[in-house]
Amino acid sequence: MGISKIWVFGEATDAGVTASTLELLTKAHQLADTVEVVMSGDAAAVAGVLGAHGATAVHTIGPIEGSLGGPRIASAIAGAVEAGTGPDAVICSTSYDGRDVAGRLSAKIDRPVITNVVDLVADGDRLLGSEPVFGGTTDVTTGFTDSGTAIFLVRPKSFVAEESGGGPAEVIEIAVGDLGDTGSATVKERFVEESSGPKLDEAAIVVSGGRGLGDAEKYKMIETLAKLVKGAPGASRAVVDAGWVPYSYQVGQTGKVVKPTVYLACGISGATQHLVGMKGSANIIAINKDEEAPIFGIADLGIVGDVHKVLPKLIEALEARG
Amino acid sequence: MVWLIPLQGTLLGMIVVVCVKQIPDPADPGALDPETRTLKRDVKLILDESDSYGVEMGLQLVDAAGEGEVRLVSMAPNNEVGGLRTALAMGAASAVLVSDEALAGSDALSTAKVLAAAIRRCEPDLVLTATESSDGYTGTVPVQIAELLGLPSVTFGKEIEVTDGVATVKRQTEAGFDQVECPLPAVVSVTAGVVEPRYPSFKGIMGAKNKPVDELDLAGLGIDPATVGWSGARQEITDVAVAPARDAGQVVHDEGDAHERILAFLDDLKVL
């Protein structure tokens, strides 16, 4: 006997369904008899791509306009769980909204969340989640001891999205319960911060800067270099905490997981929490003054040197190539 | 578990509750206890740096309001106050600390139940948290607290302004940020690096020793021990395995030509 029904929290932007939603659907399809999506907005518009990735139905709460989705989606799922029509497991991506849904749902139905999951495994009729700890040196696999609804938060890029040939998912409306005050936050305006290059988690080359750069002004070298190689700039947690760049730049356990073709780490020593976010890169280049820096333990090309000397020359050479 | 009694506040100006976690020094990553398979907790705890931003933001909001105070809420083993004293020295007025042996093995939901119960005692207008702790990084506690208290929440806040009982929050998004309005009381989680946490002054450090720390156990909060800790977790670790290691490659010292090596490496990969 296997896992009978998994629900995946579906996220979509103007550009369509997010990559992490499709990754989760692909994996869920391999693990459960029935995979369905729960989301807000126009489900009919995305029913095709969701179906192709394994979903047979998509439950939508309808348009939410300026409201935040978290409390609403969680309420809809909790309603189904309480009515006995809910899934065995709910899987959300570790995204801004995915965490809102998982956290709200957890408190609503009094079920803990298994978080930071990078792999899902079927164990009879229950689902287990595997999580890297201690900077990715150890994998811990966890499951629930009872048969209640299991909630998982899965890190993006844990799985590869693949179509499995299914037809469009059936669109089903699902009701949101009484939210009380919990749904009263409203989005008044959305701001898009223009970035000319590729997104951090989609770029083929990521150039990341760490505390070894010395000060915020020097981070500009990272942005210049990223632009020259048509890559995306990233940062270590230390640099984000210091306020040099926003949280959205952060690569690591508490930031984004990236798996580019090339990861160029500049002035990053390789704290365990950073390594977890980038060690899946196909090729790693590291520049650091300290020969003993842990980053050299995983770099394909390690340069023991001063970023303030190496980077300007690298930038100059790339500019010379045009 | 939902409390239906509404929160109240505003009598003493703006009351901002900041949830703070006291963690082992991240410079010392620690280990799992082979017997219990939980994190060993035999080292001195410090204030999680992620929480210093919430403390600073709370202090600034109270300053802007002209009246009120920052109150801290924390859950820690063995009545540990090391990290709380740091936040009190920064300027928080008081703290509620929950310690109970039955909290061993608590996961995020248990933690949220305890913090939510402690927060209710503080009658806040606004609850601030980090987006996630530096040692557990589940990132679900802020929203779980909000749900348990029946409050709205805005996660990943970069900036907060409070006017006439409404918080206006810049919320980080994939594309940029959303400007979100949220009536108070509410829970807002703040990302790191958004404000510059103040260093405690000598006077602050001395004064912190005399600030009230209300120490409570589960009975004092009215929480059934069976709903938290090991018994509340309802999970088991089924496997602990060494992750596949990644091998080191070539390490060279820069002799002034490192940029050429990097270019050659990139050329070989044909990524330029």
Side-chain angles (χ1 to χ4, degrees):
Chain A
M1 178 180 159
I3 299 149
S4 61
K5 186 156 70 175
I6 292 177
W7 278 10
V8 170
F9 168 48
E11 297 181 72
T13 65
D14 292 343
V17 178
T18 62
S20 56
T21 301
L22 300 180
E23 292 160 17
L24 295 184
L25 281 178
T26 304
K27 187 65 182 180
H29 180 63
Q30 295 162 10
L31 294 168
D33 303 336
T34 305
V35 178
E36 298 175 352
V37 172
V38 56
M39 62 183 292
S40 61
D42 185 1
V46 292
V49 67
L50 296 175
H53 287 82
T56 51
V58 48
H59 303 264
T60 179
I61 62 170
I64 58 170
E65 308 301 337
S67 304
L68 297 180
R72 288 163 178 79
I73 299 280
S75 164
I77 301 173
V81 168
E82 280 151 21
T85 56
D88 302 301
V90 176
I91 306 178
C92 303
S93 172
T94 309
S95 60
Y96 299 110
D97 288 340
R99 293 211 267 201
D100 280 5
V101 169
R104 288 271 173 192
L105 178 63
S106 162
K108 270 186 185 297
I109 63 173
D110 192 31
R111 302 290 300 168
V113 187
I114 295 181
T115 53
N116 285 304
V117 170
V118 296
D119 197 13
L120 289 164
V121 190
D123 174 36
D125 59 358
R126 72 172 174 169
L127 200 53
L128 305 177
S130 182
E131 173 194 356
V133 297
F134 303 137
T137 56
T138 308
D139 288 330
V140 170
T141 305
T142 310
F144 288 95
T145 51
D146 58 13
S147 61
T149 310
I151 311 172
F152 295 90
L153 268 172
V154 180
R155 298 191 66 94
K157 291 195 188 301
S158 295
F159 312 113
V160 177
E162 277 168 18
E163 296 194 3
S164 47
E170 181 194 356
V171 176
I172 302 169
E173 282 180 22
I174 188 169
V176 174
D178 177 15
L179 298 173
D181 291 332
T182 62
S184 57
T186 49
V187 179
K188 292 295 169 185
E189 207 170 345
R190 296 185 194 278
F191 294 86
V192 174
E193 287 173 339
E194 289 300 330
S195 81
S196 47
K199 285 171 66 180
L200 178 55
D201 49 1
E202 290 170 3
I205 302 182
V206 171
V207 185
S208 267
R211 213 196 291 266
L213 289 167
D215 59 64
E217 188 63 23
K218 297 290 191 305
Y219 187 85
K220 283 186 184 149
M221 290 196 293
I222 301 298
E223 284 175 325
T224 305
L225 191 53
K227 192 171 271 183
L228 283 167
V229 298
K230 298 184 180 63
S236 70
R237 180 172 183 162
V239 161
V240 174
D241 282 3
W244 298 1
V245 292
Y247 179 79
S248 53
Y249 281 53
Q250 188 169 316
V251 173
Q253 189 121 39
T254 54
K256 288 203 166 65
V257 176
V258 299
K259 294 185 176 178
T261 309
V262 180
Y263 189 86
L264 177 53
C266 308
I268 292 176
S269 63
T272 51
Q273 96 94 16
H274 185 75
L275 299 186
V276 171
M278 47 65 78
K279 71 174 191 170
S281 306
N283 297 278
I284 298 171
I285 305 174
I287 311 169
N288 203 290
K289 269 200 295 200
D290 178 8
E291 200 172 340
E292 304 295 321
I295 192 87
F296 290 130
I298 62 161
D300 299 288
L301 174 61
I303 306 286
V304 182
D306 184 349
V307 286
H308 303 103
K309 289 182 181 155
V310 178
L311 291 184
K313 284 187 196 165
L314 186 56
I315 288 168
E316 197 181 328
L318 285 163
E319 280 171 343
R321 287 185 178 196
Chain B
M1 180 165 60
V2 175
W3 287 277
L4 296 171
I5 305 162
L7 298 160
Q8 11 179 281
T10 68
L11 290 175
L12 305 162
M14 186 158 71
I15 304 299
V16 180
V17 164
V18 183
C19 298
V20 297
K21 189 169 182 182
Q22 305 176 84
I23 62 166
D25 193 332
D28 174 14
L32 282 184
D33 186 321
E35 298 249 316
T36 63
R37 290 179 165 182
T38 52
L39 205 59
K40 282 187 185 174
R41 292 270 191 195
D42 47 7
V43 289
K44 189 171 162 47
L45 303 184
I46 63 167
L47 176 67
D48 186 343
E49 195 185 342
S50 305
D51 292 326
S52 61
Y53 304 100
V55 174
E56 177 61 38
M57 205 174 257
L59 292 169
Q60 290 184 12
L61 286 168
V62 167
D63 277 350
E67 207 178 352
E69 62 184 44
V70 170
R71 297 175 182 171
L72 308 170
V73 165
S74 189
M75 174 180 125
N78 309 321
N79 298 76
E80 180 74 47
V81 294
L84 284 180
R85 292 291 175 207
T86 304
L88 290 168
M90 286 173 71
S94 63
V96 177
L97 172 64
V98 185
S99 284
D100 197 305
E101 280 176 16
L103 289 171
S106 284
D107 63 5
L109 182 57
S110 286
T111 305
K113 287 175 182 175
V114 169
L115 293 177
I119 289 165
R120 289 196 73 261
R121 303 169 70 93
C122 300
E123 303 187 340
D125 298 291
L126 176 65
V127 180
L128 297 180
T129 69
T131 54
E132 59 206 340
S133 65
S134 302
D135 63 340
Y137 48 84
T138 66
T140 55
V141 172
V143 190
Q144 286 166 326
I145 289 173
E147 184 65 32
L148 290 168
L149 292 172
L151 296 180
S153 57
V154 184
T155 48
F156 295 94
K158 290 151 61 95
E159 249 181 71
I160 309 174
E161 269 178 47
V162 173
T163 316
D164 299 332
V166 176
T168 303
V169 183
K170 286 185 180 171
R171 182 190 190 224
Q172 180 84 51
T173 62
E174 283 297 334
F177 64 90
D178 286 349
Q179 184 144 313
V180 181
E181 279 186 13
C182 187
L184 299 181
V187 177
V188 179
S189 75
V190 297
T191 63
V194 290
V195 286
E196 181 74 36
R198 66 194 68 185
Y199 285 105
S201 64
F202 179 71
K203 197 176 151 208
I205 293 166
M206 296 312 288
K209 291 176 181 161
N210 298 319
K211 287 181 173 172
V213 176
D214 190 7
E215 296 187 18
L216 292 167
D217 57 11
L218 287 176
L221 282 176
I223 292 179
D224 176 359
T227 62
V228 293
W230 288 121
S231 16
R234 292 158 283 170
Q235 295 158 60
E236 60 177 351
I237 289 175
T238 58
D239 190 32
V240 177
V242 175
R246 187 184 169 115
D247 292 332
Q250 184 190 15
V251 177
V252 295
H253 286 258
D254 178 27
E255 307 284 352
D257 61 348
H259 59 289
E260 288 166 12
R261 282 179 174 273
I262 294 171
L263 282 176
F265 188 90
L266 295 175
D267 283 339
D268 278 351
L269 293 170
K270 299 186 169 44
V271 288
L272 292 181

